Structure formats: C-alpha cells, structure tokens
C-alpha cells in the first residue's frame, strides 16, 4: 500500500536566538511546526560553524516529544551518527557529496535507530539518488548553497523536485533555503511536501499564520 504524503513544515532554528533555543523551539512547535530542522555545520564542508550533538542533547532534554531532523552539513557524516542518535535525533539527513559509499552510511543511520535523509547541493545532479533512494526515507533538495541562512531562493532547483516526484511518487521530498510565503507555491507545485523555512517563520510577527499558509499551499497540491 502506497504511503499517503502529508505536508510537513519544519522551521530551521539557524536564525533563532541560540541563547534562548529551547524557548524559541517550543514556541515554533506551539505555533504549529511539525518538526524542527537543526542545521549542523562543521566549518569544513561548509565555511560556517553552528553546533553539535551536545547542544542537540540539551535541547532534547527540554523538548521530549518533537521530531528532530539534523541536517548534517559536515565532511564526515559517519562520525556523528552514534552521537546524534544518542542525543535523541529522529532523522539524520546528510550530504552525499563528500561520501564514497552512500548506501553504507544510509544503513548505519538506520541501524542507529534514525530515519535516513540524503541531501543534494544545488550543483549535484538529482539522478545520482537512483542507487540508494530505496534506502532513504527522504531526499532534501537544497534551494540555496548550504552553509548560511537568509539566501535567495533558487527556483532553478524545481526541476529536481519535479523529477523526484515523478519517479518516486510516495517519497518525502524536502526543500530548504529561501522558502517562505513568496516561494512556497513553486515548491508545492514541483512536488515538495516537507518544507524547511527559517527566516520567513522565525522572523514573522505571526509564526502560526506563516506555518499554516505554507502547509495549506502544499496540501492544496497534494489533494489534487
């Protein structure tokens, strides 16, 4: 039986006040977020540096039930599988670009008890996923270059999303980067159902309305 796709809105906490992270994260959940998207950067795969598993574990101790996705923008994703699983991560999304053996990493993530997400930078061809998409729960199509928040959305990535949706109708497809009220419709029409939105949600005066609007845009397409 085919999986029924649903719209899921996962605010990125990258632009939140990290000194008030548990409070801001809880506020996002109270305002309707379906999951939290945690950007982990190592200063090597991407030039920026954010946080690692100790902070994620502290956040999990404060927020027990929310779905945590870590977006691992790191050069050695294998190194952090066990620590992130121990920290309470639900889905481990890693970039395929620095890895020679993606299927092995997928299996290790699954064995650690987490869902598997594979992420593609803008310059990475989408069809490389055919070799391991059956091992993944989700594919993330980056709509900006990974590493910094607040970048301009790249609508040239939408054919990747459309290709994935055509070839894998029941796959969870996530978009991340510059996604907000002005860009959600093209993402939804292309076939994305998991929406990462940072600045547009975090900085909104009414976070709940933005989250609802994003979800409604996706649901309108899913229902047709």
């Amino acid at each position: 039986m085919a999986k029924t796709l649903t719209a899921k809105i996962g605010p990125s906490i990258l632009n939140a006040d990290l000194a008030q992270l548990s409070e801001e994260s809880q506020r996002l959940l109270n305002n309707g977020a379906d999951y939290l998207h945690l950007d982990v950067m190592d200063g090597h795969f991407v030039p920026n540096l954010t946080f690692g598993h100790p902070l994620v574990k502290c956040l999990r101790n404060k927020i027990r039930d929310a779905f945590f996705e870590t977006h691992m923008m790191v050069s050695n994703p294998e190194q952090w599988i066990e620590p992130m699983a121990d920290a309470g991560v639900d889905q481990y999304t890693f970039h395929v670009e620095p890895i020679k053996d993606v299927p092995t990493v997928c299996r290790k993530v699954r064995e650690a008890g987490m869902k598997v997400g594979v992420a593609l930078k803008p310059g990475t061809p989408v069809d490389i996923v055919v070799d391991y998409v059956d091992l993944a729960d989700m594919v993330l199509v980056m709509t900006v270059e990974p590493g910094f928040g607040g970048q301009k959305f790249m609508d040239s990535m939408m054919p990747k999303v459309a290709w994935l949706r055509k070839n894998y109708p029941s796959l969870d497809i996530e978009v991340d980067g510059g996604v907000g009220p002005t860009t959600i419709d093209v993402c939804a029409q292309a076939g994305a159902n998991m929406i990462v939105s940072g600045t547009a949600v975090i900085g909104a005066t009414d976070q709940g309305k933005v989250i609802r609007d994003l979800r409604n845009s996706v649901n309108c397409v899913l229902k047709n």
Side-chain angles (χ1 to χ4, degrees):
M1 184 175 175
K3 180 178 68 176
T4 301
L5 289 174
T6 58
K8 300 170 188 170
I9 311 302
S12 165
I13 63 169
L14 185 62
N15 298 104
D17 180 355
L18 296 181
Q20 304 287 331
L21 191 54
S22 64
E23 293 89 342
E24 294 221 7
S25 296
Q26 188 60 59
R27 184 160 67 102
L28 290 165
L29 294 164
N30 293 346
N31 283 325
D34 297 294
Y35 65 104
L36 294 178
H37 183 88
L38 312 177
D39 291 300
V40 178
M41 307 181 192
D42 65 355
H44 188 260
F45 180 69
V46 293
N48 208 355
L49 186 68
T50 55
F51 49 79
H53 58 279
L55 185 145
V56 177
K57 191 168 189 175
C58 289
L59 188 61
R60 174 56 84 196
N61 287 334
K62 297 281 189 181
I63 300 175
R64 298 288 185 178
D65 299 326
F67 190 95
F68 284 7
E69 178 199 13
T70 48
H71 178 191
M72 305 299 296
M73 289 170 268
V74 299
S75 294
N76 184 13
E78 282 189 73
Q79 180 179 357
W80 311 111
I81 293 172
E82 290 296 338
M84 284 299 183
D86 179 68
V89 169
D90 298 288
Q91 178 168 298
Y92 191 89
T93 300
F94 63 92
H95 274 269
V96 303
E97 291 86 7
I99 303 172
K100 290 182 179 178
D101 187 355
V102 174
T104 293
V105 179
C106 289
R107 283 191 286 269
K108 287 183 177 180
V109 172
R110 179 95 54 213
E111 288 165 4
M114 297 180 288
K115 286 191 168 185
V116 180
V118 293
L120 308 177
K121 293 171 68 174
T124 302
V126 67
D127 58 1
I128 67 164
V129 304
V130 297
D131 293 331
Y132 41 77
V133 69
D134 58 327
L135 300 173
D137 296 287
M138 186 208 78
V139 175
L140 163 57
V141 175
M142 289 298 297
T143 45
V144 298
E145 289 294 339
F148 297 94
Q151 295 182 63
K152 189 176 185 300
F153 176 81
M154 299 168 66
D155 58 7
S156 57
M157 295 299 106
M158 292 304 97
K160 287 187 180 182
V161 177
W163 184 90
L164 286 167
R165 181 56 66 221
K166 178 183 177 183
N167 288 280
Y168 308 102
S170 63
L171 179 68
D172 278 324
I173 303 171
E174 186 177 65
V175 287
D176 177 13
V179 182
T182 61
T183 53
I184 185 60
D185 285 341
V186 292
C187 295
Q189 292 292 339
N193 69 299
M194 293 184 68
I195 308 299
V196 177
S197 184
T199 308
V201 173
I202 298 289
T205 54
D206 188 344
Q207 292 182 349
K209 182 181 185 304
V210 175
I211 290 171
R212 285 192 301 274
D213 288 348
L214 295 175
R215 185 181 292 111
N216 288 340
S217 292
V218 176
N219 279 334
C220 282
V221 175
L222 291 176
K223 290 173 183 175
N224 292 332

